[in-house]
């Protein structure tokens, strides 16, 4: 009798694990925003690579604790549209000066994020792309619909800051 109960529990546990695995694969949301900035990649990079400076211009990533250096931990304070600020840890995964800043974190299978700022020279300016991929079962339950519009707001704030710096005579 005990052996039959054990087998039943083992079968149910296996099905739950398989179900959780497939749910984690099903949970995926990608946000991709882009803006043209009439400023050099050097100017845009100076702004986005200055983690403590985020609080001066960024309306969504309102505070960054730590420094942007490959492999370094940072704590990101994110403000949602309702004004609630949530802090979460991330690791700076990759930095290519004047080209790319990538950070990510989370718990695999449950909820992970991979956030990239990309800069591409384009004429007399910079094409700035902000892309974030969320994965895991948590994506199915967390309301992430606000992220796209919030990142467009960030892009606009970055554009205004970079163009203002260039107009003020900051070297290219």
């Amino acid at each position: 009798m005990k052996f039959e109960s054990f087998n039943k529990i083992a079968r149910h546990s296996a099905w739950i694990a398989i179900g959780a695995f497939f749910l984690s694969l099903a949970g995926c949301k990608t946000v991709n925003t882009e803006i043209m900035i009439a400023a050099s990649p050097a100017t845009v990079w100076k702004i986005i690579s200055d983690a403590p400076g985020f609080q001066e211009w960024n309306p969504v990533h309102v505070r960054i604790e730590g420094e942007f250096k490959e492999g370094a931990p940072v704590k990101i304070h994110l403000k949602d549209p309702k004004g609630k600020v949530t802090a979460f840890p991330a690791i700076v995964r990759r930095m290519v000066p004047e080209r790319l800043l990538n950070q990510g974190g989370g718990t695999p299978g449950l909820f992970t994020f991979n956030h990239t700022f990309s800069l591409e020279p384009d004429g007399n300016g910079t094409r700035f792309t902000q892309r974030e991929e969320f994965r895991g079962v948590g994506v199915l339950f967390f309301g992430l619909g606000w992220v796209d519009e919030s990142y467009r707001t960030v892009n606009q704030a970055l554009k205004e800051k970079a163009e203002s710096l260039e107009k003020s005579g900051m070297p290219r």
Side-chain angles (χ1 to χ4, degrees):
M1 186 64 122
K2 290 180 182 179
F3 186 71
E4 288 175 18
S5 294
F6 176 78
N7 278 341
K8 193 174 195 179
I9 291 170
R11 275 195 312 272
H12 287 296
S13 296
W15 282 112
I16 290 169
I18 290 168
F21 172 75
F22 282 108
L23 274 175
S24 74
L25 294 177
C28 182
K29 177 173 177 56
T30 301
V31 174
N32 196 61
T33 61
E34 186 176 279
I35 194 167
M36 278 302 302
I37 300 175
S40 68
T43 299
V44 176
W45 181 256
K46 178 177 172 54
I47 298 165
I48 67 163
S49 63
D50 175 22
F54 266 51
Q55 62 191 15
E56 297 171 16
W57 66 271
N58 195 314
V60 176
H61 305 96
V62 295
R63 187 167 148 223
I64 308 288
E65 292 178 46
E67 286 186 57
F68 290 137
K69 290 183 179 178
E70 273 191 32
V74 292
K75 185 179 267 186
I76 301 166
H77 297 258
L78 186 77
K79 185 178 190 179
D80 71 19
K82 294 178 181 174
K84 180 182 176 198
V85 177
T86 304
F88 54 92
I91 298 292
V92 178
R93 293 179 172 159
R94 188 158 179 239
M95 288 183 71
V96 179
E98 299 182 20
R99 300 291 291 178
L100 179 107
L101 171 59
N102 173 249
Q103 58 205 343
T107 304
L110 293 177
F111 186 84
T112 61
F113 62 94
N114 185 25
H115 191 185
T116 302
F117 296 130
S118 300
L119 293 74
E120 182 181 335
D122 192 329
N124 290 328
T126 304
R127 180 176 309 280
F128 177 76
T129 304
Q130 189 172 185
R131 177 182 169 85
E132 187 153 19
E133 186 174 273
F134 302 96
R135 290 191 167 276
V137 70
V139 172
L140 302 173
F141 303 102
F142 296 130
L144 297 170
W146 61 274
V147 176
D148 186 82
E149 186 58 36
S150 292
Y151 284 5
R152 291 182 192 287
T153 301
V154 169
N155 293 358
Q156 186 60 41
L158 175 61
K159 175 182 174 71
E160 291 169 12
K161 173 88 173 168
E163 291 176 356
S164 173
L165 279 177
E166 289 241 338
K167 285 180 187 171
S168 73
M170 183 191 143
R172 280 176 141 313

